[in-house]
Amino acid sequence: MQPARYDALRQLRDHIPRLADSLKIGIDQEIRFWQDIVDAKLLSRLAPDFPMVAAICGGGSSGKSTLFNSLVGEHFAPTGGTAGLNRRVLFSIPAARAEQTNLLADLALPFKSELQLLQNTEQLTVPGEPLYVLNQSPLNNLVVLDTPDFDTGARGAYTNRETTRMALEASDILIYVFTNSNYNNRDNTDFIAQMLTGIGMRKCFLVYRVYPSFTRQEVLEHSMTVARGIYGDRADEFLLGVYRTDEDNQVAAGQLFMKLVPVDKQDPEFLTALQSIDGAGLRLELYGSILSDVIRGAAKITSQSKVSFDELQLYLDALKMAQSHSVQEALKHFPMDRVMRRFARIWAATDPPHVKIMRRTGNVIEFPLKMLLGAAGWAKDQFLPEGPDPSPSKEFAIKLDEDLATAVTKMNYQAVSSQISVSGSLSDPAAGKMAEIIEKIRAEKRLENTQPPTVEPSGQGLARTFIVDAHNVVSSEQEKLRARDFKSVLQSILAEKENIVAITHDMEKDLEKLADHFRAKMGLWRKISQTFWALLNVLPATVAVTYVLSTGDPVGAVGIKVKLAGLFGAKDLYALFAIPVTTGLKSADRKQIEEMLTPIVQTWLNHKLNTVQRLFEENITGDILQCARKNLEDADALIGATEELMATLTYQAKGAEI
Ligand SMILES: Nc1nc2c(ncn2[C@@H]2O[C@H](COP(=O)(O)OP(=O)(O)O)[C@@H](O)[C@H]2O)c(=O)[nH]1
Ligand SMILES: [Mg+2]
């Protein structure tokens, strides 16, 4: 396998579990199984520098160990006439590769035990873990296995059956040795055929230990009997070459190594043939279907993750929406007197000098407004803009306490609950987005044939109620919040109430900007400013504390409404002021009050919404939101990377390039 693709597989192997974990999709066992296959079947075998592995196998006393020694060039394996002499697998590894990282472990993976260095040949005659020797052969890209006789023992219960299976599984090709006495033994070839069907077809060399008198024709015929016994009609596809080794007493006596001769003269020498085999290519073919399965598995896990990602996004959006509603609820009342007086003071401070003088002489307020002031029971000298700020009204403080307690209770409940229930209008982009995600999840689940757990949003017209399941990702954060004492949560928020009441430096700066803006707008400044000034004075007296933020409901004719746009994306939010508009207020004046009030209320609300949101996040929702955002971010990156890796590997798996 190409190094770049191999690397893609390795990365995929690491990414998939991380992705599943970042979304807690809860299929840990499946993931582990997937990972084991990648590790055991693919990563070790498909490494670009993995040597070719050839297993010598065949019936008892065919000459396997003799061939092994001949190939390796040393008398490592015991040979002899006693059937079943060898009980273990012996690996011969090129000495040049002895230091290769993980090679010993990777070679022995199917055995699920480590390779041990052979100490003495006696070890081979007792069952146990596989052993290895280091050879000095120039074929340093070839590992050869000597295997025990698989045909010793009663039929159907061969002693070394499992060992042989593992040896075959550890190999890329077979070297099958047979003699005249066992070439037509169906049990032997059936056994190999059965093994290969289970672990994947391996190609093979046939080596016939034969009397010198046998003709080429006889050797070929007997060899084809063996080949068909193992591979059936597909023998040609899997046969790598046929070689004969003639009986030789000097070989039997250990004085000479076996000599292999191609049955077809034009075929290469055995070692040349071995060397010319593209082991990496064979392995890719051999493991191609496993690779495809693994990619399919990764694709399935990725698409499950994408659904889970959308569900987490949906949960996050629902929680944010629930929070913005709670925050608004906490600020249902507006400290009118305090904010307006502060604004009046800012306004007065920036008055031109002659206006200041006029104001002191009481000449500023004109007739219609004097009437209005009279109706409100307001004496003109009662309010001195230069004086100190009034302390926050008791009435507002009580209302704020109540509003906060209600909002905190609701927020906490939503945050610890296994479902969030939140209503919104589809004209609000946030609600629109949630409806879209739900549609997407439903479509994805339909594809996967699983039940959508997300309840369809209900409602008429544009109104929707969303019921969204809490996501596994945030379970532990929810658990922590549940473990907290709610009273202490409420207390710590109420303890910071002053921050909500206070007119901060930043807000003051914004109010100053607003005053500048008003003045800039007043072309005929003198005339209008008189009216305007009067209005500033009259408002605190008539309205004291209360205004109500109302969502959606029509604002009646009585009172002045102020439209507040763009709060957490919630449209149609109005502040309603109980100003007695009946009292001779011209519609032009009324319009001016509205225009003036809107940005002042908006300024206050912007600051306070932020303050309350911060309080809620510090005390209730922060860790959950943070956890959801972090995991979404991680998962997003992992999904992108995983899809890229799968694309790289799919191309490879199709065999477009090896
Ligand atoms: N005459 C003769 N005997 C051989 C030759 N090769 C192997 N043998 C003998 O065949 C017997 C079994 O060989 P061995 O390699 O142990 O077979 P294994 O059981 O398949 O590993 C041993 O006694 C060997 O000496 C050969 O080329 N000529
Ligand atoms: Mg042997």
Side-chain angles (χ1 to χ4, degrees):
M1 194 180 209
Q2 279 193 341
R5 304 257 149 70
Y6 182 73
D7 207 48
L9 180 62
R10 232 181 29 202
Q11 286 188 45
L12 189 66
R13 181 245 181 245
D14 289 340
H15 277 44
I16 287 290
R18 278 170 55 206
L19 173 59
D21 186 56
S22 72
L23 291 163
K24 300 269 179 296
I25 56 176
I27 48 166
D28 298 359
Q29 213 171 327
E30 197 177 309
I31 303 272
R32 229 170 296 128
F33 186 67
W34 179 88
Q35 216 174 5
D36 283 350
I37 290 180
V38 179
D39 285 345
K41 306 257 163 156
L42 298 180
L43 281 181
S44 60
R45 315 300 294 189
L46 294 179
D49 58 352
F50 201 80
M52 188 171 76
V53 183
I56 301 175
C57 50
S61 297
S62 303
K64 296 184 293 295
S65 299
T66 309
L67 176 59
F68 176 87
N69 290 340
S70 302
L71 285 177
V72 172
E74 270 185 71
H75 292 278
F76 287 120
T79 57
T82 318
L85 186 63
N86 284 8
R87 303 300 305 272
R88 301 200 201 184
V89 175
L90 179 62
F91 285 69
S92 174
I93 298 167
R97 284 183 172 263
E99 300 298 309
Q100 187 172 330
T101 329
N102 288 339
L103 181 61
L104 291 184
D106 288 343
L107 281 169
L109 266 174
F111 293 90
K112 298 193 171 61
S113 66
E114 303 234 325
L115 281 186
Q116 303 294 330
L117 187 65
L118 176 78
Q119 307 292 342
N120 59 67
T121 50
E122 288 302 301
Q123 283 178 285
L124 288 162
T125 60
V126 286
E129 68 256 21
L131 300 165
Y132 76 96
V133 291
L134 294 175
N135 69 56
Q136 303 299 329
S137 137
L139 295 184
N140 60 20
N141 198 28
L142 178 71
V143 170
V144 185
L145 270 61
D146 187 15
T147 64
D149 305 336
F150 55 76
D151 58 350
T152 18
R155 197 181 161 218
Y158 296 145
T159 333
N160 299 313
R161 191 190 168 93
E162 189 52 19
T163 314
T164 306
R165 189 191 61 74
M166 293 187 284
L168 291 178
E169 203 180 332
S171 311
D172 303 318
I173 62 166
L174 265 62
I175 302 172
Y176 188 83
V177 190
F178 56 97
T179 62
N180 185 244
S181 58
N182 67 12
Y183 80 89
N184 57 2
N185 181 327
R186 286 296 306 208
D187 285 345
N188 284 4
T189 49
D190 279 355
F191 172 78
I192 297 289
Q194 204 188 346
M195 290 287 138
L196 293 184
T197 309
I199 60 165
M201 279 301 173
R202 264 76 169 164
K203 295 188 178 181
C204 113
F205 284 104
L206 295 182
V207 175
Y208 193 3
R209 198 181 110 205
V210 70
Y211 299 110
S213 59
F214 275 44
T215 65
R216 174 179 170 274
Q217 196 54 38
E218 282 167 317
V219 170
L220 269 183
E221 266 170 32
H222 298 175
S223 297
M224 284 320 287
T225 306
V226 173
R228 272 192 296 273
I230 299 176
Y231 300 109
D233 294 341
R234 298 172 71 197
D236 285 342
E237 221 179 292
F238 292 97
L239 212 49
L240 291 166
V242 183
Y243 290 79
R244 67 184 285 167
T245 175
D246 292 356
E247 293 280 358
D248 184 334
N249 287 338
Q250 277 182 289
V251 172
Q255 290 158 357
L256 277 181
F257 285 127
M258 267 181 176
K259 192 168 171 290
L260 272 57
V261 179
V263 174
D264 271 325
K265 291 255 159 28
Q266 71 273 24
D267 279 358
E269 288 282 308
F270 187 64
L271 286 187
T272 314
L274 261 184
Q275 254 177 310
S276 70
I277 290 172
D278 169 17
L282 275 186
R283 279 195 294 276
L284 198 58
E285 249 175 70
L286 203 54
Y287 298 106
S289 66
I290 299 178
L291 184 58
S292 304
D293 284 350
V294 157
I295 296 170
R296 247 195 308 280
K300 187 178 154 227
I301 295 165
T302 306
S303 67
Q304 267 174 282
S305 300
K306 282 162 116 177
V307 176
S308 186
F309 180 93
D310 291 337
E311 285 170 342
L312 180 55
Q313 182 70 60
L314 183 66
Y315 174 76
L316 175 63
D317 289 351
L319 184 62
K320 272 160 56 186
M321 188 182 276
Q323 174 165 281
S324 85
H325 290 179
S326 287
V327 168
Q328 283 172 27
E329 265 197 277
L331 293 171
K332 269 200 313 212
H333 292 89
F334 175 59
M336 177 65 100
D337 52 352
R338 194 134 195 263
V339 177
M340 294 312 289
R341 274 172 200 236
R342 178 63 68 92
F343 187 73
R345 222 164 63 149
I346 290 168
W347 182 263
T350 54
D351 266 346
H354 67 279
V355 177
K356 283 189 177 140
I357 294 163
M358 277 200 301
R359 183 161 7 90
R360 288 206 187 89
T361 59
N363 281 335
V364 173
I365 300 167
E366 286 176 338
F367 177 67
L369 280 156
K370 278 186 180 150
M371 270 183 57
L372 171 58
L373 296 185
W378 183 264
K380 67 176 185 289
D381 57 354
Q382 252 181 326
F383 173 54
L384 295 171
E386 288 88 354
D389 260 0
S391 56
S393 84
K394 262 213 177 91
E395 206 181 332
F396 176 69
I398 294 167
K399 290 257 190 286
L400 182 60
D401 264 0
E402 287 171 7
D403 294 344
L404 260 181
T406 310
V408 169
T409 308
K410 276 194 189 167
M411 186 71 261
N412 195 75
Y413 176 75
Q414 295 270 36
V416 298
S417 196
S418 62
Q419 282 187 326
I420 287 182
S421 167
V422 67
S423 300
S425 163
L426 288 186
S427 63
D428 169 6
K433 185 182 161 211
M434 282 173 63
E436 264 172 39
I437 298 179
I438 290 175
E439 254 330 296
K440 191 167 166 232
I441 293 172
R442 294 175 68 81
E444 285 164 340
K445 298 235 165 178
R446 258 197 302 274
L447 274 183
E448 282 197 14
N449 254 337
T450 37
Q451 273 299 310
T454 315
V455 178
E456 201 169 3
S458 57
Q460 289 188 330
L462 289 177
R464 288 289 181 281
T465 296
F466 300 96
I467 296 169
V468 175
D469 288 338
H471 199 283
N472 275 343
V473 159
V474 299
S475 304
S476 59
E477 291 302 335
Q478 284 190 304
E479 202 44 59
K480 281 189 220 160
L481 189 57
R482 264 181 226 122
R484 278 195 63 185
D485 172 29
F486 173 68
K487 268 190 205 139
S488 79
V489 173
L490 183 59
Q491 278 315 313
S492 51
I493 290 178
L494 288 178
E496 296 214 40
K497 204 177 61 185
E498 274 315 304
N499 282 332
I500 303 173
V501 175
I503 294 176
T504 59
H505 184 68
D506 283 352
M507 196 199 310
E508 186 140 3
K509 280 268 163 299
D510 283 350
L511 290 176
E512 277 167 18
K513 267 188 229 146
L514 207 54
D516 286 348
H517 176 70
F518 284 160
R519 278 202 210 282
K521 260 176 59 178
M522 292 171 179
L524 288 168
W525 123 255
R526 214 195 129 148
K527 183 182 184 305
I528 299 170
S529 73
Q530 289 172 6
T531 313
F532 188 70
W533 171 242
L535 290 174
L536 280 183
N537 281 305
V538 77
L539 280 168
T542 50
V543 206
V545 184
T546 321
Y547 88 124
V548 177
L549 276 177
S550 63
T551 30
D553 46 10
V555 175
V558 186
I560 287 178
K561 74 174 174 184
V562 167
K563 188 172 176 181
L564 304 165
L567 301 172
F568 296 108
K571 287 180 176 170
D572 308 332
L573 188 63
Y574 291 94
L576 178 61
F577 295 87
I579 294 173
V581 281
T582 45
T583 337
L585 210 55
K586 286 184 291 192
S587 79
D589 291 335
R590 184 188 157 147
K591 199 166 164 281
Q592 199 167 25
I593 295 179
E594 277 176 18
E595 276 176 17
M596 181 193 73
L597 272 175
T598 303
I600 294 175
V601 174
Q602 184 83 59
T603 302
W604 180 83
L605 207 49
N606 287 346
H607 280 266
K608 297 313 169 189
L609 286 169
N610 281 332
T611 306
V612 175
Q613 185 178 329
R614 182 179 53 75
L615 281 177
F616 278 22
E617 291 188 1
E618 276 169 10
N619 292 284
I620 308 174
T621 54
D623 290 342
I624 296 176
L625 291 169
Q626 154 80 13
C627 165
R629 287 198 184 101
K630 165 92 177 61
N631 286 49
L632 279 173
E633 197 183 305
D634 290 353
D636 191 39
L638 284 166
I639 287 172
T642 299
E643 286 186 327
E644 225 168 87
L645 293 170
M646 286 190 300
T648 306
L649 284 164
T650 307
Y651 174 59
Q652 171 82 58
K654 278 182 188 146
E657 217 175 297
I658 287 166

